[in-house]
Amino acid sequence: MAKFEERLHAGYGQTLNIDEVLFEYRTEHQDLIIFRNESFGRVMALDGIVQTTEADEFIYHEMLTHVPLFAHGSARSVLIIGGGDGGMLREVLKHARVEAVTQVEIDASVIDMCKRYLPNHSAGAFDDPRVELVIADGVDYVRESAKTFDVIISDCTDPVGPGEVLFTSAFYEGCKRCLNPGGVFVAQNGVAFLQLDEVVTTARRLGPLFADQCFYAAAVPTYAGGIMTFAWASDTAAPRQVDVVELERRFKVSGIRTRYYNPQVHAASFALPQYILDALAAG
Ligand code: AG3
């Protein structure tokens, strides 16, 4: 049986059986493979790193959308950077208050191939009239955009290859420029136990730019190695401090159905283990 061996961490990695290769291609930017695995369904990897699977994508996509959106409470405009598989877009569009979503993805072939071979991720989201799709570099977009947003979601790869620029101060400055007052920026930030440097580096870069900066976390099985952290930044602590009672109210009013997210999970996800807090304090 063919195996997919992930190459991301030094001396440690997950291996997935490849039951069937559905698509494999060297795009203009990266190596893309979509294959089927018995436990996780369809799996998409870029440059040898698992990006998303049918079985556990809901955890990641719900946590990077519903946490900032329910915390904000009245977001109308959302910017997604990356997210070519469309899972993030699908979750954002569940919020009826959201009037406009701009998605900026560098690699058009990821979108095309995911629409075709991972159709349950986008589930038609790219056809929603609220969506504007821009094929461009995220850093350029946030530097030049005339539009501003209530929530910005960076659904990036790890800081190697094309995704590296999405962890730079230049990118974070652009996001700050594109964020409305009271807006929230969130970003995928790696699995903390194995990528602790990433947490520290992100805090060092985002911290000086925003009045409120922190991380929240969730365990996503195919991002092997323990909990994944998500970076959070805003010009105000208010959205982070919304209490569970108010989150319950907002969630109920929305009518949104989720499989991982709920207001209790939302509130609890901001509690970080001590080894992360210590690393941040040592900075
Ligand atoms: N992007 C995040 C993949 C990160 C995997 N990294 C890791 N295991 N440290 C996923 C794109 C899904 N829309």
mmCIF file with all atom_site columns, all heavy atoms in Angstrom, residues 4 6 16 23 25 30-35 42-53 110 114 118 157:
data_model
loop_
_atom_site.group_PDB
_atom_site.id
_atom_site.type_symbol
_atom_site.label_atom_id
_atom_site.label_alt_id
_atom_site.label_comp_id
_atom_site.label_asym_id
_atom_site.label_entity_id
_atom_site.label_seq_id
_atom_site.pdbx_PDB_ins_code
_atom_site.Cartn_x
_atom_site.Cartn_y
_atom_site.Cartn_z
_atom_site.occupancy
_atom_site.B_iso_or_equiv
_atom_site.pdbx_formal_charge
_atom_site.auth_seq_id
_atom_site.auth_comp_id
_atom_site.auth_asym_id
_atom_site.auth_atom_id
_atom_site.pdbx_PDB_model_num
ATOM 1   N N   . PHE A 1 4   ? 1.644   8.071  2.468   1.00 0.00 ? 4   PHE A N   1
ATOM 2   C CA  . PHE A 1 4   ? 1.976   9.488  2.434   1.00 0.00 ? 4   PHE A CA  1
ATOM 3   C C   . PHE A 1 4   ? 2.711   9.792  3.728   1.00 0.00 ? 4   PHE A C   1
ATOM 4   O O   . PHE A 1 4   ? 2.168   9.641  4.812   1.00 0.00 ? 4   PHE A O   1
ATOM 5   C CB  . PHE A 1 4   ? 0.700   10.335 2.353   1.00 0.00 ? 4   PHE A CB  1
ATOM 6   C CG  . PHE A 1 4   ? 0.959   11.811 2.420   1.00 0.00 ? 4   PHE A CG  1
ATOM 7   C CD1 . PHE A 1 4   ? 1.215   12.543 1.278   1.00 0.00 ? 4   PHE A CD1 1
ATOM 8   C CD2 . PHE A 1 4   ? 0.976   12.469 3.648   1.00 0.00 ? 4   PHE A CD2 1
ATOM 9   C CE1 . PHE A 1 4   ? 1.478   13.906 1.347   1.00 0.00 ? 4   PHE A CE1 1
ATOM 10  C CE2 . PHE A 1 4   ? 1.235   13.834 3.722   1.00 0.00 ? 4   PHE A CE2 1
ATOM 11  C CZ  . PHE A 1 4   ? 1.485   14.548 2.565   1.00 0.00 ? 4   PHE A CZ  1
ATOM 12  N N   . GLU A 1 6   ? 4.358   12.580 5.891   1.00 0.00 ? 6   GLU A N   1
ATOM 13  C CA  . GLU A 1 6   ? 4.411   14.037 6.028   1.00 0.00 ? 6   GLU A CA  1
ATOM 14  C C   . GLU A 1 6   ? 5.812   14.479 6.435   1.00 0.00 ? 6   GLU A C   1
ATOM 15  O O   . GLU A 1 6   ? 6.410   13.928 7.343   1.00 0.00 ? 6   GLU A O   1
ATOM 16  C CB  . GLU A 1 6   ? 3.394   14.494 7.080   1.00 0.00 ? 6   GLU A CB  1
ATOM 17  C CG  . GLU A 1 6   ? 3.275   16.004 7.138   1.00 0.00 ? 6   GLU A CG  1
ATOM 18  C CD  . GLU A 1 6   ? 2.136   16.452 8.055   1.00 0.00 ? 6   GLU A CD  1
ATOM 19  O OE1 . GLU A 1 6   ? 2.131   16.058 9.229   1.00 0.00 ? 6   GLU A OE1 1
ATOM 20  O OE2 . GLU A 1 6   ? 1.280   17.184 7.582   1.00 0.00 ? 6   GLU A OE2 1
ATOM 21  N N   . LEU A 1 16  ? 0.108   8.426  6.411   1.00 0.00 ? 16  LEU A N   1
ATOM 22  C CA  . LEU A 1 16  ? -1.262  8.049  6.060   1.00 0.00 ? 16  LEU A CA  1
ATOM 23  C C   . LEU A 1 16  ? -1.236  7.079  4.887   1.00 0.00 ? 16  LEU A C   1
ATOM 24  O O   . LEU A 1 16  ? -0.471  7.288  3.928   1.00 0.00 ? 16  LEU A O   1
ATOM 25  C CB  . LEU A 1 16  ? -2.073  9.291  5.656   1.00 0.00 ? 16  LEU A CB  1
ATOM 26  C CG  . LEU A 1 16  ? -2.469  10.243 6.779   1.00 0.00 ? 16  LEU A CG  1
ATOM 27  C CD1 . LEU A 1 16  ? -1.471  11.378 6.888   1.00 0.00 ? 16  LEU A CD1 1
ATOM 28  C CD2 . LEU A 1 16  ? -3.839  10.840 6.514   1.00 0.00 ? 16  LEU A CD2 1
ATOM 29  N N   . PHE A 1 23  ? -5.776  13.000 -7.444  1.00 0.00 ? 23  PHE A N   1
ATOM 30  C CA  . PHE A 1 23  ? -5.205  14.070 -8.245  1.00 0.00 ? 23  PHE A CA  1
ATOM 31  C C   . PHE A 1 23  ? -3.813  14.397 -7.727  1.00 0.00 ? 23  PHE A C   1
ATOM 32  O O   . PHE A 1 23  ? -3.581  14.453 -6.537  1.00 0.00 ? 23  PHE A O   1
ATOM 33  C CB  . PHE A 1 23  ? -6.097  15.305 -8.123  1.00 0.00 ? 23  PHE A CB  1
ATOM 34  C CG  . PHE A 1 23  ? -5.665  16.430 -8.999  1.00 0.00 ? 23  PHE A CG  1
ATOM 35  C CD1 . PHE A 1 23  ? -5.935  16.409 -10.360 1.00 0.00 ? 23  PHE A CD1 1
ATOM 36  C CD2 . PHE A 1 23  ? -4.963  17.508 -8.474  1.00 0.00 ? 23  PHE A CD2 1
ATOM 37  C CE1 . PHE A 1 23  ? -5.511  17.450 -11.175 1.00 0.00 ? 23  PHE A CE1 1
ATOM 38  C CE2 . PHE A 1 23  ? -4.540  18.543 -9.290  1.00 0.00 ? 23  PHE A CE2 1
ATOM 39  C CZ  . PHE A 1 23  ? -4.825  18.519 -10.641 1.00 0.00 ? 23  PHE A CZ  1
ATOM 40  N N   . TYR A 1 25  ? -0.411  17.032 -8.845  1.00 0.00 ? 25  TYR A N   1
ATOM 41  C CA  . TYR A 1 25  ? -0.048  18.043 -9.826  1.00 0.00 ? 25  TYR A CA  1
ATOM 42  C C   . TYR A 1 25  ? 0.950   19.026 -9.225  1.00 0.00 ? 25  TYR A C   1
ATOM 43  O O   . TYR A 1 25  ? 0.863   19.365 -8.042  1.00 0.00 ? 25  TYR A O   1
ATOM 44  C CB  . TYR A 1 25  ? -1.340  18.769 -10.223 1.00 0.00 ? 25  TYR A CB  1
ATOM 45  C CG  . TYR A 1 25  ? -1.220  19.873 -11.245 1.00 0.00 ? 25  TYR A CG  1
ATOM 46  C CD1 . TYR A 1 25  ? -0.816  19.605 -12.545 1.00 0.00 ? 25  TYR A CD1 1
ATOM 47  C CD2 . TYR A 1 25  ? -1.548  21.179 -10.895 1.00 0.00 ? 25  TYR A CD2 1
ATOM 48  C CE1 . TYR A 1 25  ? -0.732  20.638 -13.480 1.00 0.00 ? 25  TYR A CE1 1
ATOM 49  C CE2 . TYR A 1 25  ? -1.472  22.209 -11.827 1.00 0.00 ? 25  TYR A CE2 1
ATOM 50  C CZ  . TYR A 1 25  ? -1.061  21.927 -13.123 1.00 0.00 ? 25  TYR A CZ  1
ATOM 51  O OH  . TYR A 1 25  ? -0.997  22.946 -14.035 1.00 0.00 ? 25  TYR A OH  1
ATOM 52  N N   . GLN A 1 30  ? 3.202   25.197 -6.017  1.00 0.00 ? 30  GLN A N   1
ATOM 53  C CA  . GLN A 1 30  ? 3.483   24.123 -5.052  1.00 0.00 ? 30  GLN A CA  1
ATOM 54  C C   . GLN A 1 30  ? 3.031   22.764 -5.573  1.00 0.00 ? 30  GLN A C   1
ATOM 55  O O   . GLN A 1 30  ? 2.333   22.668 -6.570  1.00 0.00 ? 30  GLN A O   1
ATOM 56  C CB  . GLN A 1 30  ? 2.800   24.454 -3.713  1.00 0.00 ? 30  GLN A CB  1
ATOM 57  C CG  . GLN A 1 30  ? 1.327   24.822 -3.850  1.00 0.00 ? 30  GLN A CG  1
ATOM 58  C CD  . GLN A 1 30  ? 0.814   25.821 -2.813  1.00 0.00 ? 30  GLN A CD  1
ATOM 59  O OE1 . GLN A 1 30  ? 1.430   25.980 -1.768  1.00 0.00 ? 30  GLN A OE1 1
ATOM 60  N NE2 . GLN A 1 30  ? -0.287  26.474 -3.093  1.00 0.00 ? 30  GLN A NE2 1
ATOM 61  N N   . ASP A 1 31  ? 3.432   21.692 -4.848  1.00 0.00 ? 31  ASP A N   1
ATOM 62  C CA  . ASP A 1 31  ? 2.979   20.335 -5.161  1.00 0.00 ? 31  ASP A CA  1
ATOM 63  C C   . ASP A 1 31  ? 1.646   20.090 -4.487  1.00 0.00 ? 31  ASP A C   1
ATOM 64  O O   . ASP A 1 31  ? 1.534   20.239 -3.274  1.00 0.00 ? 31  ASP A O   1
ATOM 65  C CB  . ASP A 1 31  ? 3.962   19.288 -4.608  1.00 0.00 ? 31  ASP A CB  1
ATOM 66  C CG  . ASP A 1 31  ? 5.183   19.139 -5.486  1.00 0.00 ? 31  ASP A CG  1
ATOM 67  O OD1 . ASP A 1 31  ? 5.026   19.140 -6.712  1.00 0.00 ? 31  ASP A OD1 1
ATOM 68  O OD2 . ASP A 1 31  ? 6.285   19.026 -4.928  1.00 0.00 ? 31  ASP A OD2 1
ATOM 69  N N   . LEU A 1 32  ? 0.667   19.679 -5.293  1.00 0.00 ? 32  LEU A N   1
ATOM 70  C CA  . LEU A 1 32  ? -0.676  19.448 -4.763  1.00 0.00 ? 32  LEU A CA  1
ATOM 71  C C   . LEU A 1 32  ? -1.036  17.980 -4.940  1.00 0.00 ? 32  LEU A C   1
ATOM 72  O O   . LEU A 1 32  ? -0.867  17.427 -6.021  1.00 0.00 ? 32  LEU A O   1
ATOM 73  C CB  . LEU A 1 32  ? -1.656  20.337 -5.537  1.00 0.00 ? 32  LEU A CB  1
ATOM 74  C CG  . LEU A 1 32  ? -3.159  20.084 -5.426  1.00 0.00 ? 32  LEU A CG  1
ATOM 75  C CD1 . LEU A 1 32  ? -3.649  20.346 -4.015  1.00 0.00 ? 32  LEU A CD1 1
ATOM 76  C CD2 . LEU A 1 32  ? -3.911  21.014 -6.377  1.00 0.00 ? 32  LEU A CD2 1
ATOM 77  N N   . ILE A 1 33  ? -1.501  17.342 -3.865  1.00 0.00 ? 33  ILE A N   1
ATOM 78  C CA  . ILE A 1 33  ? -2.006  15.967 -4.005  1.00 0.00 ? 33  ILE A CA  1
ATOM 79  C C   . ILE A 1 33  ? -3.326  15.846 -3.244  1.00 0.00 ? 33  ILE A C   1
ATOM 80  O O   . ILE A 1 33  ? -3.495  16.446 -2.163  1.00 0.00 ? 33  ILE A O   1
ATOM 81  C CB  . ILE A 1 33  ? -0.980  14.902 -3.517  1.00 0.00 ? 33  ILE A CB  1
ATOM 82  C CG1 . ILE A 1 33  ? -1.525  13.487 -3.751  1.00 0.00 ? 33  ILE A CG1 1
ATOM 83  C CG2 . ILE A 1 33  ? -0.611  15.082 -2.060  1.00 0.00 ? 33  ILE A CG2 1
ATOM 84  C CD1 . ILE A 1 33  ? -0.510  12.361 -3.522  1.00 0.00 ? 33  ILE A CD1 1
ATOM 85  N N   . ILE A 1 34  ? -4.266  15.151 -3.840  1.00 0.00 ? 34  ILE A N   1
ATOM 86  C CA  . ILE A 1 34  ? -5.523  14.833 -3.163  1.00 0.00 ? 34  ILE A CA  1
ATOM 87  C C   . ILE A 1 34  ? -5.678  13.322 -3.249  1.00 0.00 ? 34  ILE A C   1
ATOM 88  O O   . ILE A 1 34  ? -5.625  12.756 -4.346  1.00 0.00 ? 34  ILE A O   1
ATOM 89  C CB  . ILE A 1 34  ? -6.728  15.561 -3.812  1.00 0.00 ? 34  ILE A CB  1
ATOM 90  C CG1 . ILE A 1 34  ? -6.520  17.083 -3.728  1.00 0.00 ? 34  ILE A CG1 1
ATOM 91  C CG2 . ILE A 1 34  ? -8.034  15.155 -3.108  1.00 0.00 ? 34  ILE A CG2 1
ATOM 92  C CD1 . ILE A 1 34  ? -7.580  17.916 -4.442  1.00 0.00 ? 34  ILE A CD1 1
ATOM 93  N N   . PHE A 1 35  ? -5.768  12.679 -2.086  1.00 0.00 ? 35  PHE A N   1
ATOM 94  C CA  . PHE A 1 35  ? -5.899  11.220 -2.078  1.00 0.00 ? 35  PHE A CA  1
ATOM 95  C C   . PHE A 1 35  ? -6.949  10.784 -1.073  1.00 0.00 ? 35  PHE A C   1
ATOM 96  O O   . PHE A 1 35  ? -7.439  11.580 -0.263  1.00 0.00 ? 35  PHE A O   1
ATOM 97  C CB  . PHE A 1 35  ? -4.547  10.547 -1.788  1.00 0.00 ? 35  PHE A CB  1
ATOM 98  C CG  . PHE A 1 35  ? -3.932  10.870 -0.439  1.00 0.00 ? 35  PHE A CG  1
ATOM 99  C CD1 . PHE A 1 35  ? -4.200  10.072 0.680   1.00 0.00 ? 35  PHE A CD1 1
ATOM 100 C CD2 . PHE A 1 35  ? -3.086  11.951 -0.279  1.00 0.00 ? 35  PHE A CD2 1
ATOM 101 C CE1 . PHE A 1 35  ? -3.629  10.352 1.922   1.00 0.00 ? 35  PHE A CE1 1
ATOM 102 C CE2 . PHE A 1 35  ? -2.504  12.242 0.959   1.00 0.00 ? 35  PHE A CE2 1
ATOM 103 C CZ  . PHE A 1 35  ? -2.784  11.436 2.058   1.00 0.00 ? 35  PHE A CZ  1
ATOM 104 N N   . ARG A 1 42  ? -11.133 12.068 2.063   1.00 0.00 ? 42  ARG A N   1
ATOM 105 C CA  . ARG A 1 42  ? -10.224 12.711 1.110   1.00 0.00 ? 42  ARG A CA  1
ATOM 106 C C   . ARG A 1 42  ? -9.269  13.645 1.844   1.00 0.00 ? 42  ARG A C   1
ATOM 107 O O   . ARG A 1 42  ? -9.688  14.388 2.743   1.00 0.00 ? 42  ARG A O   1
ATOM 108 C CB  . ARG A 1 42  ? -11.022 13.467 0.061   1.00 0.00 ? 42  ARG A CB  1
ATOM 109 C CG  . ARG A 1 42  ? -11.818 12.484 -0.781  1.00 0.00 ? 42  ARG A CG  1
ATOM 110 C CD  . ARG A 1 42  ? -12.535 13.140 -1.923  1.00 0.00 ? 42  ARG A CD  1
ATOM 111 N NE  . ARG A 1 42  ? -13.200 12.107 -2.721  1.00 0.00 ? 42  ARG A NE  1
ATOM 112 C CZ  . ARG A 1 42  ? -13.609 12.259 -3.958  1.00 0.00 ? 42  ARG A CZ  1
ATOM 113 N NH1 . ARG A 1 42  ? -13.434 13.427 -4.579  1.00 0.00 ? 42  ARG A NH1 1
ATOM 114 N NH2 . ARG A 1 42  ? -14.183 11.278 -4.604  1.00 0.00 ? 42  ARG A NH2 1
ATOM 115 N N   . VAL A 1 43  ? -8.017  13.581 1.454   1.00 0.00 ? 43  VAL A N   1
ATOM 116 C CA  . VAL A 1 43  ? -6.953  14.340 2.112   1.00 0.00 ? 43  VAL A CA  1
ATOM 117 C C   . VAL A 1 43  ? -6.272  15.217 1.071   1.00 0.00 ? 43  VAL A C   1
ATOM 118 O O   . VAL A 1 43  ? -5.965  14.747 -0.020  1.00 0.00 ? 43  VAL A O   1
ATOM 119 C CB  . VAL A 1 43  ? -5.895  13.371 2.710   1.00 0.00 ? 43  VAL A CB  1
ATOM 120 C CG1 . VAL A 1 43  ? -4.760  14.129 3.382   1.00 0.00 ? 43  VAL A CG1 1
ATOM 121 C CG2 . VAL A 1 43  ? -6.542  12.372 3.672   1.00 0.00 ? 43  VAL A CG2 1
ATOM 122 N N   . MET A 1 44  ? -6.049  16.476 1.404   1.00 0.00 ? 44  MET A N   1
ATOM 123 C CA  . MET A 1 44  ? -5.327  17.362 0.483   1.00 0.00 ? 44  MET A CA  1
ATOM 124 C C   . MET A 1 44  ? -4.026  17.793 1.139   1.00 0.00 ? 44  MET A C   1
ATOM 125 O O   . MET A 1 44  ? -4.020  18.216 2.295   1.00 0.00 ? 44  MET A O   1
ATOM 126 C CB  . MET A 1 44  ? -6.194  18.581 0.157   1.00 0.00 ? 44  MET A CB  1
ATOM 127 C CG  . MET A 1 44  ? -5.676  19.446 -0.983  1.00 0.00 ? 44  MET A CG  1
ATOM 128 S SD  . MET A 1 44  ? -4.626  20.807 -0.465  1.00 0.00 ? 44  MET A SD  1
ATOM 129 C CE  . MET A 1 44  ? -5.846  21.964 0.135   1.00 0.00 ? 44  MET A CE  1
ATOM 130 N N   . ALA A 1 45  ? -2.932  17.655 0.395   1.00 0.00 ? 45  ALA A N   1
ATOM 131 C CA  . ALA A 1 45  ? -1.632  18.075 0.920   1.00 0.00 ? 45  ALA A CA  1
ATOM 132 C C   . ALA A 1 45  ? -0.938  18.996 -0.075  1.00 0.00 ? 45  ALA A C   1
ATOM 133 O O   . ALA A 1 45  ? -1.108  18.858 -1.293  1.00 0.00 ? 45  ALA A O   1
ATOM 134 C CB  . ALA A 1 45  ? -0.755  16.860 1.204   1.00 0.00 ? 45  ALA A CB  1
ATOM 135 N N   . LEU A 1 46  ? -0.194  19.946 0.457   1.00 0.00 ? 46  LEU A N   1
ATOM 136 C CA  . LEU A 1 46  ? 0.606   20.853 -0.359  1.00 0.00 ? 46  LEU A CA  1
ATOM 137 C C   . LEU A 1 46  ? 2.064   20.726 0.072   1.00 0.00 ? 46  LEU A C   1
ATOM 138 O O   . LEU A 1 46  ? 2.357   20.778 1.280   1.00 0.00 ? 46  LEU A O   1
ATOM 139 C CB  . LEU A 1 46  ? 0.149   22.309 -0.162  1.00 0.00 ? 46  LEU A CB  1
ATOM 140 C CG  . LEU A 1 46  ? -1.240  22.671 -0.703  1.00 0.00 ? 46  LEU A CG  1
ATOM 141 C CD1 . LEU A 1 46  ? -1.626  24.082 -0.259  1.00 0.00 ? 46  LEU A CD1 1
ATOM 142 C CD2 . LEU A 1 46  ? -1.267  22.577 -2.229  1.00 0.00 ? 46  LEU A CD2 1
ATOM 143 N N   . ASP A 1 47  ? 2.952   20.551 -0.888  1.00 0.00 ? 47  ASP A N   1
ATOM 144 C CA  . ASP A 1 47  ? 4.373   20.404 -0.589  1.00 0.00 ? 47  ASP A CA  1
ATOM 145 C C   . ASP A 1 47  ? 4.627   19.402 0.537   1.00 0.00 ? 47  ASP A C   1
ATOM 146 O O   . ASP A 1 47  ? 5.433   19.659 1.447   1.00 0.00 ? 47  ASP A O   1
ATOM 147 C CB  . ASP A 1 47  ? 4.995   21.779 -0.251  1.00 0.00 ? 47  ASP A CB  1
ATOM 148 C CG  . ASP A 1 47  ? 5.117   22.669 -1.489  1.00 0.00 ? 47  ASP A CG  1
ATOM 149 O OD1 . ASP A 1 47  ? 5.121   22.134 -2.619  1.00 0.00 ? 47  ASP A OD1 1
ATOM 150 O OD2 . ASP A 1 47  ? 5.207   23.902 -1.324  1.00 0.00 ? 47  ASP A OD2 1
ATOM 151 N N   . GLY A 1 48  ? 3.903   18.284 0.490   1.00 0.00 ? 48  GLY A N   1
ATOM 152 C CA  . GLY A 1 48  ? 4.158   17.204 1.447   1.00 0.00 ? 48  GLY A CA  1
ATOM 153 C C   . GLY A 1 48  ? 3.586   17.427 2.838   1.00 0.00 ? 48  GLY A C   1
ATOM 154 O O   . GLY A 1 48  ? 3.917   16.687 3.761   1.00 0.00 ? 48  GLY A O   1
ATOM 155 N N   . ILE A 1 49  ? 2.728   18.435 3.012   1.00 0.00 ? 49  ILE A N   1
ATOM 156 C CA  . ILE A 1 49  ? 2.149   18.728 4.330   1.00 0.00 ? 49  ILE A CA  1
ATOM 157 C C   . ILE A 1 49  ? 0.625   18.685 4.242   1.00 0.00 ? 49  ILE A C   1
ATOM 158 O O   . ILE A 1 49  ? 0.032   19.347 3.376   1.00 0.00 ? 49  ILE A O   1
ATOM 159 C CB  . ILE A 1 49  ? 2.623   20.106 4.850   1.00 0.00 ? 49  ILE A CB  1
ATOM 160 C CG1 . ILE A 1 49  ? 4.151   20.100 4.971   1.00 0.00 ? 49  ILE A CG1 1
ATOM 161 C CG2 . ILE A 1 49  ? 1.979   20.431 6.198   1.00 0.00 ? 49  ILE A CG2 1
ATOM 162 C CD1 . ILE A 1 49  ? 4.769   21.463 5.194   1.00 0.00 ? 49  ILE A CD1 1
ATOM 163 N N   . VAL A 1 50  ? 0.009   17.891 5.132   1.00 0.00 ? 50  VAL A N   1
ATOM 164 C CA  . VAL A 1 50  ? -1.445  17.754 5.109   1.00 0.00 ? 50  VAL A CA  1
ATOM 165 C C   . VAL A 1 50  ? -2.087  19.108 5.405   1.00 0.00 ? 50  VAL A C   1
ATOM 166 O O   . VAL A 1 50  ? -1.786  19.754 6.417   1.00 0.00 ? 50  VAL A O   1
ATOM 167 C CB  . VAL A 1 50  ? -1.925  16.718 6.154   1.00 0.00 ? 50  VAL A CB  1
ATOM 168 C CG1 . VAL A 1 50  ? -3.455  16.692 6.216   1.00 0.00 ? 50  VAL A CG1 1
ATOM 169 C CG2 . VAL A 1 50  ? -1.378  15.336 5.823   1.00 0.00 ? 50  VAL A CG2 1
ATOM 170 N N   . GLN A 1 51  ? -2.965  19.534 4.517   1.00 0.00 ? 51  GLN A N   1
ATOM 171 C CA  . GLN A 1 51  ? -3.661  20.805 4.705   1.00 0.00 ? 51  GLN A CA  1
ATOM 172 C C   . GLN A 1 51  ? -5.055  20.603 5.270   1.00 0.00 ? 51  GLN A C   1
ATOM 173 O O   . GLN A 1 51  ? -5.523  21.361 6.099   1.00 0.00 ? 51  GLN A O   1
ATOM 174 C CB  . GLN A 1 51  ? -3.761  21.564 3.374   1.00 0.00 ? 51  GLN A CB  1
ATOM 175 C CG  . GLN A 1 51  ? -2.427  21.965 2.802   1.00 0.00 ? 51  GLN A CG  1
ATOM 176 C CD  . GLN A 1 51  ? -1.656  22.882 3.733   1.00 0.00 ? 51  GLN A CD  1
ATOM 177 O OE1 . GLN A 1 51  ? -2.194  23.852 4.251   1.00 0.00 ? 51  GLN A OE1 1
ATOM 178 N NE2 . GLN A 1 51  ? -0.401  22.566 3.975   1.00 0.00 ? 51  GLN A NE2 1
ATOM 179 N N   . THR A 1 52  ? -5.744  19.585 4.781   1.00 0.00 ? 52  THR A N   1
ATOM 180 C CA  . THR A 1 52  ? -7.117  19.410 5.219   1.00 0.00 ? 52  THR A CA  1
ATOM 181 C C   . THR A 1 52  ? -7.599  18.010 4.864   1.00 0.00 ? 52  THR A C   1
ATOM 182 O O   . THR A 1 52  ? -7.117  17.407 3.895   1.00 0.00 ? 52  THR A O   1
ATOM 183 C CB  . THR A 1 52  ? -8.017  20.514 4.583   1.00 0.00 ? 52  THR A CB  1
ATOM 184 O OG1 . THR A 1 52  ? -9.295  20.510 5.207   1.00 0.00 ? 52  THR A OG1 1
ATOM 185 C CG2 . THR A 1 52  ? -8.168  20.343 3.084   1.00 0.00 ? 52  THR A CG2 1
ATOM 186 N N   . THR A 1 53  ? -8.512  17.486 5.668   1.00 0.00 ? 53  THR A N   1
ATOM 187 C CA  . THR A 1 53  ? -9.113  16.187 5.367   1.00 0.00 ? 53  THR A CA  1
ATOM 188 C C   . THR A 1 53  ? -10.618 16.296 5.567   1.00 0.00 ? 53  THR A C   1
ATOM 189 O O   . THR A 1 53  ? -11.096 17.096 6.375   1.00 0.00 ? 53  THR A O   1
ATOM 190 C CB  . THR A 1 53  ? -8.605  15.056 6.294   1.00 0.00 ? 53  THR A CB  1
ATOM 191 O OG1 . THR A 1 53  ? -9.337  15.080 7.518   1.00 0.00 ? 53  THR A OG1 1
ATOM 192 C CG2 . THR A 1 53  ? -7.115  15.171 6.574   1.00 0.00 ? 53  THR A CG2 1
ATOM 193 N N   . VAL A 1 110 ? -5.418  25.442 -6.748  1.00 0.00 ? 110 VAL A N   1
ATOM 194 C CA  . VAL A 1 110 ? -5.901  24.811 -5.508  1.00 0.00 ? 110 VAL A CA  1
ATOM 195 C C   . VAL A 1 110 ? -7.422  24.923 -5.459  1.00 0.00 ? 110 VAL A C   1
ATOM 196 O O   . VAL A 1 110 ? -8.128  23.952 -5.160  1.00 0.00 ? 110 VAL A O   1
ATOM 197 C CB  . VAL A 1 110 ? -5.250  25.461 -4.253  1.00 0.00 ? 110 VAL A CB  1
ATOM 198 C CG1 . VAL A 1 110 ? -5.860  24.898 -2.973  1.00 0.00 ? 110 VAL A CG1 1
ATOM 199 C CG2 . VAL A 1 110 ? -3.745  25.231 -4.238  1.00 0.00 ? 110 VAL A CG2 1
ATOM 200 N N   . CYS A 1 114 ? -9.785  21.657 -5.707  1.00 0.00 ? 114 CYS A N   1
ATOM 201 C CA  . CYS A 1 114 ? -10.568 21.345 -4.501  1.00 0.00 ? 114 CYS A CA  1
ATOM 202 C C   . CYS A 1 114 ? -12.068 21.378 -4.805  1.00 0.00 ? 114 CYS A C   1
ATOM 203 O O   . CYS A 1 114 ? -12.820 20.578 -4.262  1.00 0.00 ? 114 CYS A O   1
ATOM 204 C CB  . CYS A 1 114 ? -10.220 22.290 -3.355  1.00 0.00 ? 114 CYS A CB  1
ATOM 205 S SG  . CYS A 1 114 ? -8.578  21.957 -2.670  1.00 0.00 ? 114 CYS A SG  1
ATOM 206 N N   . LEU A 1 118 ? -12.637 17.893 -3.762  1.00 0.00 ? 118 LEU A N   1
ATOM 207 C CA  . LEU A 1 118 ? -13.022 18.036 -2.341  1.00 0.00 ? 118 LEU A CA  1
ATOM 208 C C   . LEU A 1 118 ? -14.297 18.877 -2.278  1.00 0.00 ? 118 LEU A C   1
ATOM 209 O O   . LEU A 1 118 ? -14.350 19.888 -1.573  1.00 0.00 ? 118 LEU A O   1
ATOM 210 C CB  . LEU A 1 118 ? -11.937 18.799 -1.564  1.00 0.00 ? 118 LEU A CB  1
ATOM 211 C CG  . LEU A 1 118 ? -10.742 18.118 -0.928  1.00 0.00 ? 118 LEU A CG  1
ATOM 212 C CD1 . LEU A 1 118 ? -9.948  19.153 -0.127  1.00 0.00 ? 118 LEU A CD1 1
ATOM 213 C CD2 . LEU A 1 118 ? -11.128 16.963 -0.026  1.00 0.00 ? 118 LEU A CD2 1
ATOM 214 N N   . THR A 1 157 ? -0.710  28.223 4.970   1.00 0.00 ? 157 THR A N   1
ATOM 215 C CA  . THR A 1 157 ? 0.093   27.019 5.173   1.00 0.00 ? 157 THR A CA  1
ATOM 216 C C   . THR A 1 157 ? 1.096   27.337 6.293   1.00 0.00 ? 157 THR A C   1
ATOM 217 O O   . THR A 1 157 ? 1.025   28.398 6.908   1.00 0.00 ? 157 THR A O   1
ATOM 218 C CB  . THR A 1 157 ? 0.847   26.655 3.875   1.00 0.00 ? 157 THR A CB  1
ATOM 219 O OG1 . THR A 1 157 ? 1.590   27.810 3.466   1.00 0.00 ? 157 THR A OG1 1
ATOM 220 C CG2 . THR A 1 157 ? -0.111  26.274 2.759   1.00 0.00 ? 157 THR A CG2 1
#
